[in-house]
Structures are given as C-alpha cells and as structure tokens.
Amino acid sequence: MKTIKAEGEWLNLAKYVAGLFSIGLLVLGSGCSTMKVVPLTTSNPTSYTQHEEKDGLVVGIRPMTDKREIEDMFKVNLLDKGLVPILVVAENQSPSASFIIAKNKLCVQNGATGTSNSSQRKKVTSSTGEIMANTGGVMVALGGFALPLLIVGMPIEFTGMQKASNASVIEFNLADKEFYSWTLGPGEKAQGFVYLQLPKDAPAAANYRLVAEVQNSATGEATTFDLPANLTLPK
C-alpha cells in the first residue's frame, strides 16, 4: 500500500512534477556541469539514537551537523548560513491504526526557554549560485512557480539569482527533502527534514527539542512526541 499524503499536499506534488520538468530543461541546456539531486535514504526510525514509540507509531530524528555530509546532501553548507537540517523519520508499526503527521504540527523548541526561534532574514549562498532566504517569508521560487519550505514549522523563501541551473537544483533539493504532511497506514513510512534556523551568535553546543503532534485518523486523538535534538556544531 502506498503512503498517501494528507489533503492539501497534492498541490505540492503537482508542483514537484513541474519542478522536475523545469530542472530537466535546465540540465539539457547546461550540460553535464549541472548539479545532481542526491536521493534521501533513511534507516528504520529505531536505529536513530533519539526515537520514540507511541501506539505503534515510531518517530526518530537525527540532527545533521557534519559539514561534508550536509554539502553532499544539499550542495550548499547550510551550517555557515545558520541552518541545521534535522532528519525526521516516522514509521507506522501498528497493525490497524493510521496516523496523520501534519508539517504544521512539527516545531523545534529551544530546550532552555521552550520557545521557537524568531524569524530572521538570511542568505544561503554557494559557489555556484545565490539564494535569498526569508523565514516568515513565503515560498520557494522555482521556474515560475513556488514550493513551500519548512523552517522550524515556518515557511522560507529561496530565490535563485545566479547560474540558474545549479541554483534551481539547490532550491529543489531543499524543498524535495522537506518533511511534508502524511497519512501513514499500517507498515508505511515517511521521512524528510525540518530546517532549524539558529539565532545569531548561537553557541556551538545547545539543547533543542523537536515536538510533533500526531493524530489518529480514525479517532482524532492527538499524541505528542517530544525528542531531544542536542547540537554540537563544528567550529
């Protein structure tokens, strides 16, 4: 049985198809020099140090803090721009229940204050293009249409400015790997990143928590997952 995205996500799926078409045209126009999108592969959520099981649903997370790994995955060093990608993997091991995981019910909280990071305006750049990021902005501009991105539960705006083919690959790569809303039936799995925007002059080591509210699709009962996301950033 194929995992089904929650209502409202089909529009995003259609946009992705258009995005792939746009990137395909860019690849044809720019030859072999265009960046390649790296597929996201994940393990069972129980394999991650931070994981939690409730009512048969298992959620695991892994903050990504290695610069080389981040550059390999996203084609840009997000840490230098104040962004930490946190991988979220959810698997429904219940034999009968289905669960709704809505992306607007995911947030990253400061472990000390219990509050989410405030919106900041950032630039995400690479040697092959420049992207503007505005948390509290709106969408990802990609080939004439927009795709939403999630930064600690809020949208982010990316607009390619130079070397459109590579910049668009970076934009699409970030959007493609975002954690979206899903309805998970028995045996189904969802995965993706939330992007934590660090405050200015954030310490190298800090404690955060990823909080997710999950709903049983049949009963409407809500269950909260609260997972520590303790960071030790490279200097």
Side-chain angles (χ1 to χ4, degrees):
M1 181 177 178
K2 187 178 180 181
T3 303
I4 302 175
K5 286 190 175 183
E7 185 178 357
E9 295 299 317
W10 291 110
L11 180 58
N12 291 329
L13 182 60
K15 291 174 180 178
Y16 277 147
V17 174
L20 286 171
F21 179 72
S22 299
I23 289 178
L25 293 178
L26 289 168
V27 170
L28 290 175
S30 58
C32 297
S33 63
T34 301
M35 291 178 178
K36 305 298 182 183
V37 175
V38 178
L40 175 60
T41 57
T42 62
S43 303
N44 186 291
T46 57
S47 68
Y48 300 107
T49 302
Q50 303 300 336
H51 67 271
E52 194 172 15
E53 185 274 331
K54 292 185 177 182
D55 300 325
L57 181 68
V58 185
V59 178
I61 67 169
R62 184 174 78 88
M64 189 178 287
T65 57
D66 182 84
K67 289 184 178 181
R68 184 182 294 258
E69 183 182 22
I70 291 173
E71 288 182 346
D72 287 344
M73 177 65 66
F74 297 101
K75 305 307 178 186
V76 63
N77 187 354
L78 296 177
L79 293 181
D80 285 349
K81 317 308 170 187
L83 298 179
V84 178
I86 300 176
L87 177 64
V88 180
V89 181
E91 185 174 30
N92 184 3
Q93 298 179 356
S94 168
S96 57
S98 294
F99 300 95
I100 299 171
I101 307 177
K103 69 178 183 180
N104 64 352
K105 296 296 185 179
L106 284 173
C107 69
V108 180
Q109 296 180 346
N110 185 300
T113 65
T115 59
S116 298
N117 293 76
S118 60
S119 297
Q120 300 179 34
R121 187 168 183 83
K122 301 287 294 181
K123 277 189 179 182
V124 178
T125 62
S126 72
S127 59
T128 54
E130 183 174 7
I131 304 168
M132 286 294 294
N134 181 20
T135 64
V138 209
M139 307 295 264
V140 174
L142 221 183
F145 63 91
L147 290 171
L149 266 182
L150 181 66
I151 291 208
V152 291
M154 295 179 295
I156 184 170
E157 180 183 22
F158 290 90
T159 305
M161 295 181 180
Q162 300 173 1
K163 297 191 177 180
S165 59
N166 286 339
S168 292
V169 170
I170 292 173
E171 293 168 9
F172 181 80
N173 204 14
L174 287 165
D176 179 57
K177 292 176 173 60
E178 177 189 2
F179 192 95
Y180 284 91
S181 299
W182 295 91
T183 297
L184 297 180
E188 296 180 335
K189 177 182 173 182
Q191 61 193 26
F193 287 93
V194 296
Y195 302 96
L196 168 63
Q197 183 165 18
L198 297 174
K200 188 177 181 180
D201 301 324
N207 298 328
Y208 291 88
R209 307 193 70 83
L210 185 139
V211 179
E213 183 181 298
V214 177
Q215 187 178 46
N216 184 300
S217 63
T219 66
E221 181 181 358
T223 302
T224 299
F225 289 77
D226 189 341
L227 298 161
N230 301 326
L231 306 179
T232 302
L233 302 176
K235 296 181 180 179

